[in-house]
Amino acid sequence: MKRREFSLSAAAVLATGTLSKPALAQARQFREGRDFRRLGTPVTPDAPAGKVEVIEFFWYSCPHCHAFEATLSAWAKTAPKDMHLRRMPVAFNSSFVPQQKLFYALEGMGKLGEMHTKVFRAIHEEKQKLDKDQDILAWAGKQGLNAAKFKEFYNSFNVSNQARRATQLQDIYGVEGVPAMGVAGKFYTDGQMTGGGLQTVLQVVDYLVAMSRTPSSPAPDKP
């Protein structure tokens, strides 16, 4: 499996599951080619007009992604109003596809908001195996979801197409490990590049979001 690992210092931060505002406030000069890279071929963001798209590439079975989730959610709540966050499940090989379909089936049913963290919890805290179709379908039926409707979404052409598109974008961005971040269809960064763990990754994303605004667009107020 193709995957980068965070440094020991980053892993220590991940283990806490928290990120303080003072840590984010410690700005530094970020440099292309060191802290982030620019895509050779930009992609058109799938974001509302006037919004800067930020993508989190993740994998439900990744312990780093599990640790990152609470911090990312808290950060997103204080992000500028013109930032549009999308989560995107990766597939480094075919065994990842069932969890991609799980994500998009939940999204299609309008249940992602309440179920996203439950998936992480089931895998990493309850030690349930959710990596095969039958296991996922059985688990979904125990969560109070409409089992027949979930199965319909899970096996639908639309969900399969979304999973394929996610893998295509993952390849375009050159994702080498998760969690990783894409910004504005132009930039990529991850913990291995920044060498500073969650604090620095999210600082770099803030920097790239600001850089992606048009010169005439001031930074909006935070919510």
Side-chain angles (χ1 to χ4, degrees):
M1 177 180 65
K2 183 174 63 173
R3 177 179 178 181
R4 281 184 172 179
E5 295 291 343
F6 283 113
S7 65
L8 289 175
S9 61
V13 174
L14 280 163
T16 69
T18 60
L19 182 64
S20 64
K21 288 187 178 180
L24 282 175
Q26 294 171 1
R28 86 179 198 212
Q29 186 62 43
F30 299 118
R31 191 170 67 203
E32 183 175 344
R34 181 189 67 186
D35 302 297
F36 65 91
R37 57 176 164 76
R38 188 183 299 265
L39 272 61
T41 304
V43 295
T44 302
D46 184 15
K51 300 280 189 176
V52 179
E53 181 178 74
V54 173
I55 299 175
E56 182 220 6
F57 295 98
F58 79 97
W59 175 38
Y60 275 127
S61 290
C62 167
H64 299 315
C65 298
H66 175 225
F68 189 36
E69 177 56 32
T71 298
L72 179 67
S73 295
W75 170 82
K77 289 177 182 177
T78 63
K81 293 180 180 179
D82 67 342
M83 192 198 80
H84 178 68
L85 176 65
R86 295 174 63 200
R87 290 171 170 84
M88 189 161 291
V90 301
F92 293 138
N93 60 55
S94 60
S95 70
F96 288 48
V97 174
Q99 289 186 359
Q100 286 184 310
K101 292 168 63 179
L102 166 60
F103 176 87
Y104 287 115
L106 291 173
E107 185 177 64
M109 292 178 68
K111 298 293 186 179
L112 187 61
E114 65 185 84
M115 299 300 296
H116 186 60
T117 57
K118 288 185 178 182
V119 179
F120 276 120
R121 189 181 308 123
I123 294 171
H124 298 281
E125 299 175 28
E126 300 169 4
K127 306 302 179 184
Q128 299 190 48
K129 295 189 75 65
L130 297 180
D131 55 2
K132 292 182 171 58
D133 294 342
Q134 63 269 26
D135 297 327
I136 290 171
L137 292 172
W139 177 83
K142 297 175 182 177
Q143 306 309 308
L145 300 173
N146 183 316
K149 186 176 181 182
F150 178 84
K151 185 175 182 179
E152 181 182 351
F153 271 94
Y154 186 84
N155 291 322
S156 69
F157 172 79
N158 186 51
V159 161
S160 294
N161 193 49
Q162 287 176 297
R164 284 193 295 271
R165 178 56 177 162
T167 303
Q168 290 171 353
L169 274 176
Q170 161 199 322
D171 292 339
I172 291 170
Y173 271 93
V175 177
E176 299 185 39
V178 287
M181 309 294 288
V183 179
K186 303 175 185 177
F187 306 105
Y188 171 88
T189 188
D190 63 22
Q192 183 72 23
M193 291 190 72
T194 66
L198 297 183
Q199 298 102 322
T200 312
V201 169
L202 294 180
Q203 280 185 348
V204 171
V205 172
D206 283 335
Y207 172 82
L208 294 173
V209 167
M211 191 165 66
S212 298
R213 295 188 183 104
T214 60
S216 59
S217 300
D221 294 333
K222 293 188 176 183

